[in-house]
Amino acid sequence: PYSVNPAYTCTKLISIKEAFGYFLWSPPGNTILDVPVGSAQARTQTCIDNLGNTFSCYVLLLQKGWNMIGSSFDKEINFTSVDINGNGSIDNAERGIYVRRTSNKVDVNTFQDAVTATPHWIDGSIYTFNGVNYTYEVCDKNESSLVMQPWKAYWIRLEPQGGATFELLVPW
């Protein structure tokens, strides 16, 4: 365990919990990161998008404030759904991340719509670490090309919403 800043404590990681983010550093060289024997992939659920269409997804509960998210998949995932082929509908390959808000009723928005909603559900700044610096991109009503890269961590900030719960619906 190593930390440049004494305010941060590094400990030996014994187990990994589903839906928790981990900031992992490994030294250069012949380092192999592997999952223990007997590990199981999280189960997907059937989710419903903002248009009423069903799709297979992973559901991640968001906490008030900063949330570390990421993709352990071998493919990019759009932050918002985009009709790339121009056929007038969102195909599974074009499906992005959705945000589900539950209070008195259930509302589902694309990530982009959750950022531009009034009031905002999620702050539009998406932070990441490139190995040297923290950088960010902004998701807004005009930006639809942001993607979550495989094995890369991102930080998003959930705006407080008087008792509502929020979940990220990550398509699979």
Side-chain angles (χ1 to χ4, degrees):
Y2 173 77
S3 176
V4 173
N5 184 337
Y8 298 103
T9 304
C10 296
T11 59
K12 183 176 181 180
L13 189 62
I14 296 172
S15 65
I16 295 176
K17 292 179 75 174
E18 178 181 317
F20 279 78
Y22 298 89
F23 192 87
L24 179 67
W25 176 85
S26 62
N30 244 354
T31 304
I32 297 174
L33 302 174
D34 203 355
V35 293
V37 174
S39 297
Q41 183 175 346
R43 292 184 335 197
T44 59
Q45 298 180 22
T46 300
C47 293
I48 301 173
D49 68 17
N50 56 329
L51 302 175
N53 300 312
T54 60
F55 65 101
S56 204
C57 74
Y58 292 97
V59 178
L60 304 174
L61 180 64
L62 296 175
Q63 307 295 320
K64 180 176 126 182
W66 290 101
N67 291 265
M68 181 187 280
I69 62 171
S71 171
S72 59
F73 310 123
D74 60 353
K75 64 177 184 174
E76 293 181 342
I77 299 172
N78 296 319
F79 271 97
T80 197
S81 297
V82 180
D83 182 15
I84 296 168
N85 62 18
N87 68 355
S89 66
I90 300 298
D91 300 329
N92 280 337
E94 302 169 319
R95 190 170 299 286
I97 297 171
Y98 291 86
V99 180
R100 180 166 52 202
R101 178 183 186 267
T102 305
S103 56
N104 296 338
K105 63 177 186 154
V106 176
D107 293 309
V108 176
N109 270 331
T110 64
F111 188 89
Q112 187 174 26
D113 288 342
V115 164
T116 59
T118 304
H120 299 310
W121 293 6
I122 294 178
D123 184 281
S125 298
I126 303 168
Y127 288 83
T128 191
F129 185 70
N130 64 13
V132 177
N133 300 310
Y134 289 94
T135 61
Y136 74 95
E137 297 184 64
V138 176
C139 181
D140 59 27
K141 65 181 178 184
N142 300 315
E143 180 56 63
S144 60
S145 63
L146 299 177
V147 294
M148 191 181 326
Q149 300 288 327
W151 294 99
K152 191 171 182 180
Y154 299 87
W155 287 268
I156 59 173
R157 188 168 59 92
L158 177 66
E159 304 282 345
Q161 294 273 324
T165 59
F166 291 84
E167 297 165 311
L168 217 54
L169 309 180
V170 181
W172 180 245

